[in-house]
PDB file of all heavy atoms in Angstrom:
ATOM      1  N   PRO I 301      -4.864  -3.671  -3.104  1.00  0.00           N
ATOM      2  CA  PRO I 301      -5.709  -4.457  -2.194  1.00  0.00           C
ATOM      3  C   PRO I 301      -7.192  -4.344  -2.525  1.00  0.00           C
ATOM      4  O   PRO I 301      -7.734  -3.236  -2.587  1.00  0.00           O
ATOM      5  CB  PRO I 301      -5.417  -3.842  -0.818  1.00  0.00           C
ATOM      6  CG  PRO I 301      -4.057  -3.238  -0.964  1.00  0.00           C
ATOM      7  CD  PRO I 301      -4.010  -2.728  -2.372  1.00  0.00           C
ATOM      8  N   VAL I 302      -7.822  -5.486  -2.751  1.00  0.00           N
ATOM      9  CA  VAL I 302      -9.256  -5.486  -3.075  1.00  0.00           C
ATOM     10  C   VAL I 302     -10.088  -5.604  -1.802  1.00  0.00           C
ATOM     11  O   VAL I 302     -11.188  -5.104  -1.728  1.00  0.00           O
ATOM     12  CB  VAL I 302      -9.592  -6.594  -4.096  1.00  0.00           C
ATOM     13  CG1 VAL I 302      -9.439  -7.986  -3.498  1.00  0.00           C
ATOM     14  CG2 VAL I 302     -10.990  -6.421  -4.652  1.00  0.00           C
ATOM     15  N   GLN I 303      -9.597  -6.325  -0.836  1.00  0.00           N
ATOM     16  CA  GLN I 303     -10.222  -6.598   0.482  1.00  0.00           C
ATOM     17  C   GLN I 303     -11.407  -7.548   0.391  1.00  0.00           C
ATOM     18  O   GLN I 303     -11.537  -8.450   1.209  1.00  0.00           O
ATOM     19  CB  GLN I 303     -10.647  -5.311   1.215  1.00  0.00           C
ATOM     20  CG  GLN I 303      -9.610  -4.216   1.268  1.00  0.00           C
ATOM     21  CD  GLN I 303      -8.364  -4.556   2.066  1.00  0.00           C
ATOM     22  OE1 GLN I 303      -8.223  -5.635   2.596  1.00  0.00           O
ATOM     23  NE2 GLN I 303      -7.418  -3.623   2.130  1.00  0.00           N
ATOM     24  N   ALA I 304     -12.305  -7.345  -0.594  1.00  0.00           N
ATOM     25  CA  ALA I 304     -13.470  -8.230  -0.727  1.00  0.00           C
ATOM     26  C   ALA I 304     -13.991  -8.116  -2.154  1.00  0.00           C
ATOM     27  O   ALA I 304     -13.756  -7.111  -2.820  1.00  0.00           O
ATOM     28  CB  ALA I 304     -14.564  -7.819   0.255  1.00  0.00           C
ATOM     29  N   GLY I 305     -14.715  -9.154  -2.596  1.00  0.00           N
ATOM     30  CA  GLY I 305     -15.203  -9.145  -3.981  1.00  0.00           C
ATOM     31  C   GLY I 305     -16.632  -8.661  -4.124  1.00  0.00           C
ATOM     32  O   GLY I 305     -17.098  -8.433  -5.234  1.00  0.00           O
ATOM     33  N   SER I 306     -17.331  -8.502  -3.023  1.00  0.00           N
ATOM     34  CA  SER I 306     -18.747  -8.118  -3.087  1.00  0.00           C
ATOM     35  C   SER I 306     -18.908  -6.619  -2.899  1.00  0.00           C
ATOM     36  O   SER I 306     -18.371  -6.045  -1.943  1.00  0.00           O
ATOM     37  CB  SER I 306     -19.507  -8.874  -1.994  1.00  0.00           C
ATOM     38  OG  SER I 306     -20.522  -8.074  -1.443  1.00  0.00           O
ATOM     39  N   SER I 307     -19.675  -5.990  -3.783  1.00  0.00           N
ATOM     40  CA  SER I 307     -19.886  -4.536  -3.670  1.00  0.00           C
ATOM     41  C   SER I 307     -20.536  -4.166  -2.340  1.00  0.00           C
ATOM     42  O   SER I 307     -20.242  -3.128  -1.763  1.00  0.00           O
ATOM     43  CB  SER I 307     -20.752  -4.035  -4.821  1.00  0.00           C
ATOM     44  OG  SER I 307     -20.027  -4.159  -6.023  1.00  0.00           O
ATOM     45  N   GLU I 308     -21.430  -5.038  -1.860  1.00  0.00           N
ATOM     46  CA  GLU I 308     -22.087  -4.723  -0.574  1.00  0.00           C
ATOM     47  C   GLU I 308     -21.084  -4.737   0.572  1.00  0.00           C
ATOM     48  O   GLU I 308     -21.105  -3.864   1.435  1.00  0.00           O
ATOM     49  CB  GLU I 308     -23.186  -5.742  -0.284  1.00  0.00           C
ATOM     50  CG  GLU I 308     -24.513  -5.377  -0.903  1.00  0.00           C
ATOM     51  CD  GLU I 308     -25.528  -6.487  -0.692  1.00  0.00           C
ATOM     52  OE1 GLU I 308     -25.772  -6.853   0.471  1.00  0.00           O
ATOM     53  OE2 GLU I 308     -26.028  -6.988  -1.707  1.00  0.00           O
ATOM     54  N   VAL I 309     -20.216  -5.733   0.566  1.00  0.00           N
ATOM     55  CA  VAL I 309     -19.195  -5.803   1.625  1.00  0.00           C
ATOM     56  C   VAL I 309     -18.254  -4.605   1.499  1.00  0.00           C
ATOM     57  O   VAL I 309     -17.907  -3.958   2.498  1.00  0.00           O
ATOM     58  CB  VAL I 309     -18.423  -7.147   1.565  1.00  0.00           C
ATOM     59  CG1 VAL I 309     -17.273  -7.152   2.565  1.00  0.00           C
ATOM     60  CG2 VAL I 309     -19.354  -8.312   1.830  1.00  0.00           C
ATOM     61  N   LEU I 310     -17.876  -4.275   0.261  1.00  0.00           N
ATOM     62  CA  LEU I 310     -16.976  -3.125   0.056  1.00  0.00           C
ATOM     63  C   LEU I 310     -17.613  -1.844   0.585  1.00  0.00           C
ATOM     64  O   LEU I 310     -16.927  -0.968   1.126  1.00  0.00           O
ATOM     65  CB  LEU I 310     -16.624  -2.986  -1.432  1.00  0.00           C
ATOM     66  CG  LEU I 310     -15.693  -4.076  -1.971  1.00  0.00           C
ATOM     67  CD1 LEU I 310     -15.627  -4.022  -3.495  1.00  0.00           C
ATOM     68  CD2 LEU I 310     -14.283  -3.918  -1.388  1.00  0.00           C
ATOM     69  N   LYS I 311     -18.920  -1.755   0.436  1.00  0.00           N
ATOM     70  CA  LYS I 311     -19.623  -0.577   0.946  1.00  0.00           C
ATOM     71  C   LYS I 311     -19.539  -0.540   2.468  1.00  0.00           C
ATOM     72  O   LYS I 311     -19.227   0.502   3.059  1.00  0.00           O
ATOM     73  CB  LYS I 311     -21.080  -0.627   0.488  1.00  0.00           C
ATOM     74  CG  LYS I 311     -21.773   0.665   0.660  1.00  0.00           C
ATOM     75  CD  LYS I 311     -22.966   0.771  -0.247  1.00  0.00           C
ATOM     76  CE  LYS I 311     -23.529   2.171  -0.074  1.00  0.00           C
ATOM     77  NZ  LYS I 311     -24.933   2.234  -0.280  1.00  0.00           N
ATOM     78  N   ARG I 312     -19.793  -1.681   3.096  1.00  0.00           N
ATOM     79  CA  ARG I 312     -19.699  -1.717   4.566  1.00  0.00           C
ATOM     80  C   ARG I 312     -18.268  -1.440   5.025  1.00  0.00           C
ATOM     81  O   ARG I 312     -18.034  -0.893   6.084  1.00  0.00           O
ATOM     82  CB  ARG I 312     -20.165  -3.077   5.111  1.00  0.00           C
ATOM     83  CG  ARG I 312     -21.669  -3.258   5.122  1.00  0.00           C
ATOM     84  CD  ARG I 312     -22.074  -4.324   6.138  1.00  0.00           C
ATOM     85  NE  ARG I 312     -21.601  -5.664   5.816  1.00  0.00           N
ATOM     86  CZ  ARG I 312     -22.145  -6.469   4.925  1.00  0.00           C
ATOM     87  NH1 ARG I 312     -23.198  -6.074   4.234  1.00  0.00           N
ATOM     88  NH2 ARG I 312     -21.657  -7.670   4.711  1.00  0.00           N
ATOM     89  N   MET I 313     -17.322  -1.847   4.183  1.00  0.00           N
ATOM     90  CA  MET I 313     -15.910  -1.580   4.522  1.00  0.00           C
ATOM     91  C   MET I 313     -15.530  -0.121   4.279  1.00  0.00           C
ATOM     92  O   MET I 313     -14.425   0.288   4.601  1.00  0.00           O
ATOM     93  CB  MET I 313     -14.986  -2.469   3.674  1.00  0.00           C
ATOM     94  CG  MET I 313     -14.984  -3.935   4.064  1.00  0.00           C
ATOM     95  SD  MET I 313     -13.879  -4.840   2.953  1.00  0.00           S
ATOM     96  CE  MET I 313     -13.621  -6.360   3.897  1.00  0.00           C
ATOM     97  N   ASN I 314     -16.432   0.627   3.633  1.00  0.00           N
ATOM     98  CA  ASN I 314     -16.171   2.027   3.287  1.00  0.00           C
ATOM     99  C   ASN I 314     -14.953   2.174   2.373  1.00  0.00           C
ATOM    100  O   ASN I 314     -14.141   3.095   2.522  1.00  0.00           O
ATOM    101  CB  ASN I 314     -15.975   2.862   4.563  1.00  0.00           C
ATOM    102  CG  ASN I 314     -16.185   4.338   4.301  1.00  0.00           C
ATOM    103  OD1 ASN I 314     -16.904   4.709   3.375  1.00  0.00           O
ATOM    104  ND2 ASN I 314     -15.533   5.186   5.088  1.00  0.00           N
TER     105      ASN I 314
END
Side-chain angles (χ1 to χ4, degrees):
V302 68
Q303 312 295 1
S306 144
S307 292
E308 273 175 57
V309 174
L310 289 169
K311 194 158 185 210
R312 283 202 295 282
M313 288 179 163
N314 200 26

